Amino acid sequence: MNEFAAWLAGTSLSNTIAANLWVIPLVQSIHIVAIAVVFVSLFVVVLRIWGWAGRDQSLSATSDRFMPFIWGALAVLVITGVMMVIGEPARELISFSFWAKMALLGIGILTVFGFQRHLAGHREQWETTLVAQPSTRLLAALTLLVWLGVIVMGRLIAWDARIWGSLSPQLVG
């Protein structure tokens, strides 16, 4: 991975991003707003699953309202995330927190996709259900925790070696 990060850092696109001091802060700001949109939208859906908010709407209606925000913000996250990796490849790719974030991101995307498919397959049931089954509520809570983990791991990338010590590839390389 060190060799790939070094190669990526030597590309003209990486040098262009790194040479313009405003690019990384702008991309990071957009990235943070996008993760906030994903988390808040997911939080509202989870509150509806628990029956703590939005009981005047069906779960299907709540999901139909917020899922486009989640998927749209995920697309922005991918674009800005790739730009940050290209702009600072060593900081991102040689980081335990980055790879933990990527693993949690994959789990988070799969759970959101699975939930959306389950909801679409049982739409009539969710139209009349005010509070979801305990197993669905537990899965919703775990999904929210996974996304919270994505946020935390994203923040820890900046302090990877300090936080993780010998687990950080930054200390090994």
Side-chain angles (χ1 to χ4, degrees):
M1 190 52 65
N2 289 351
E3 293 82 20
F4 178 73
W7 171 81
L8 190 56
T11 62
S12 61
L13 182 58
S14 181
N15 288 325
T16 300
I17 291 172
N20 293 296
L21 299 178
W22 57 270
V23 173
I24 291 295
L26 176 66
V27 171
Q28 284 177 334
S29 298
I30 295 169
H31 195 76
I32 290 168
V33 169
I35 192 71
V37 169
V38 169
F39 190 78
V40 169
S41 298
L42 187 61
F43 188 62
V44 171
V45 173
V46 168
L47 288 178
R48 177 60 192 88
I49 289 171
W50 289 343
W52 292 355
R55 293 177 68 119
D56 58 332
Q57 296 182 357
S58 70
L59 181 55
S60 297
T62 303
S63 175
D64 290 346
R65 183 175 177 191
F66 288 98
M67 283 298 177
F69 288 105
I70 292 172
W71 292 116
L74 276 172
V76 172
L77 281 174
V78 168
I79 293 167
T80 56
V82 167
M83 288 181 69
M84 288 192 299
V85 168
I86 293 171
E88 298 178 318
R91 177 179 181 255
E92 304 285 340
L93 295 174
I94 307 171
S95 163
F96 176 80
S97 300
F98 173 80
W99 293 108
K101 176 184 174 182
M102 292 299 105
L104 289 172
L105 183 64
I107 294 168
I109 290 171
L110 287 175
T111 56
V112 169
F113 182 72
F115 169 75
Q116 191 173 17
R117 284 188 49 94
H118 176 74
L119 193 62
H122 302 87
R123 196 164 192 83
E124 291 178 14
Q125 173 192 352
W126 291 114
E127 289 294 332
T128 58
T129 303
L130 288 180
V131 178
Q133 298 294 320
S135 59
T136 304
R137 295 168 65 177
L138 177 63
L139 181 61
L142 291 174
T143 301
L144 200 58
L145 286 175
V146 165
W147 282 97
L148 190 59
V150 169
I151 293 169
V152 169
M153 287 298 138
R155 293 305 311 140
L156 292 182
I157 290 172
W159 300 284
D160 197 73
R162 189 177 302 165
I163 298 291
W164 299 109
S166 63
L167 288 177
S168 173
Q170 293 175 347
L171 288 181
V172 175

